[in-house]
Each structure stands twice: as structure tokens, then as C-alpha cells.
């Protein structure tokens, strides 16, 4: 089926909502990097620990990982934003939404354990799960509405 103006308007709004929801991924990794940086700058001295970092080497090692993960997770809102803009302009999106959803699902496997370790972990875990549900609903919306054409997403 060909997309009508109303269907295209609804699609780009869904993609925009997914882009907004996907910002939770870099936010979680940024928050984890800030917490790890605080622990690096305020080490806890353990008298029985003779390691170079004084029992703090885990945070020293994980700090760059969280920084790189926060930067790489900026890809999700970018992909959803591109999909929203292309749909708004009337161009076909094809598989961009599916790719973004799969990448978010894979990143969720790394982000959930990180979110559980943060203060207020329930809020971070809930936000990550909600972001993935928005992405999944956006992709599956075409099936729920019974439309099969590539322009009706």
C-alpha cells in the first residue's frame, strides 16, 4: 500500500520517539563513567590490598570502556533521527529501523549489568527496557496495523 500523508506523519513521529528514547543508552554509560571516575579520584584504601590501585583497579580499567560505550551508543539516536528525517521528507527508510533495533538489543546486553550497579538502578533499568520496547513497537507497528508495504512503516 502507498503511504498517505497521515501514515507518513505518524511514522516519523514514532521514529522521533524512538530517537528520544534511545538517548538513555549513552546516558547510562555516561553516568557509569562519572561514577567510576569518582571512585578513581576518591580511592578507598584497603590495608590488606597490595595492588597498585589500592583495590580500585576495576574502576581505573572500566572508565575508558564506559566512555567509549557512551560515545558509540550515540549511534542509536542518530540512526533513529535519520529514519525520522527521511520519513518526514517522504524518502523510504527500508531497513534502518530494524538495524537500529537490533543494535539496541545487543547493546542492552551490556547496558543492563552496568545499569544494575548504578545508584537508582531501578530507574536506569526501567528506562533501558522502555527504550527497547519503544524501538520494538516502532518496528513491529507495521505488522500490527496490517500494512506490508515498505513505505507504510
Amino acid at each position: 500500500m502507498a503511504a498517505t500523508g497521515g501514515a507518513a506523519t505518524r511514522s516519523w513521529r514514532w521514529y522521533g520517539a524512538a530517537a528520544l528514547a534511545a538517548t538513555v543508552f549513552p546516558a547510562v554509560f555516561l553516568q557509569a563513567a562519572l561514577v567510576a571516575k569518582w571512585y578513581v579520584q576518591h580511592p578507598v584504601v584497603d590495608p590488606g590490598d597490595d595492588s597498585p590501585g589500592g583495590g580500585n583497579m576495576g574502576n581505573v580499567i572500566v572508565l575508558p570502556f564506559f566512555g567509549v560505550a557512551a560515545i558509540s551508543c550515540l549511534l542509536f539516536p542518530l540512526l533513529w533521527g535519520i529514519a525520522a528525517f527521511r520519513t518526514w521528507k517522504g524518502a523510504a527508510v527500508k531497513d534502518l529501523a530494524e538495524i537500529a533495533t537490533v543494535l539496541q538489543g545487543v547493546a542492552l546486553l551490556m547496558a543492563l549489568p552496568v545499569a544494575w550497579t548504578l545508584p537508582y538502578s531501578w530507574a536506569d533499568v526501567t528506562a533501558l527496557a522502555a527504550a527497547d520496547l519503544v524501538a520494538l513497537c516502532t518496528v513491529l507497528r507495521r505488522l500490527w496495523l496490517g500494512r506490508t508495504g515498505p513505505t507504510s512503516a
Side-chain angles (χ1 to χ4, degrees):
M1 272 188 207
T4 62
T9 301
R10 287 189 301 270
S11 293
W12 81 263
R13 287 181 182 163
W14 272 94
Y15 292 147
L20 187 61
T23 58
V24 95
F25 280 89
V28 163
F29 282 115
L30 180 65
Q31 182 183 4
L34 292 175
V35 168
K37 182 179 177 187
W38 188 89
Y39 281 120
V40 168
Q41 291 177 346
H42 302 90
V44 176
V45 179
D46 186 7
D49 189 9
D50 294 332
S51 66
N56 207 27
M57 285 307 291
N59 289 316
V60 171
I61 292 170
V62 83
L63 183 60
F65 169 75
F66 288 153
V68 168
I71 292 169
S72 65
C73 283
L74 289 173
L75 177 69
F76 308 141
L78 178 69
L79 287 176
W80 284 112
I82 290 170
F85 184 74
R86 287 182 57 91
T87 305
W88 180 57
K89 288 293 186 183
V93 175
K94 303 221 180 194
D95 296 331
L96 191 57
E98 288 85 355
I99 291 169
T101 302
V102 168
L103 288 175
Q104 270 186 226
V106 170
L108 185 69
L109 297 175
M110 289 189 312
L112 275 180
V114 171
W116 275 118
T117 63
L118 295 174
Y120 306 109
S121 62
W122 59 271
D124 292 321
V125 170
T126 304
L128 286 170
D132 267 355
L133 285 175
V134 169
L136 193 59
C137 289
T138 301
V139 170
L140 294 177
R141 191 172 73 80
R142 182 180 342 157
L143 296 174
W144 290 340
L145 295 176
R147 297 183 181 153
T148 57
T151 58
S152 65

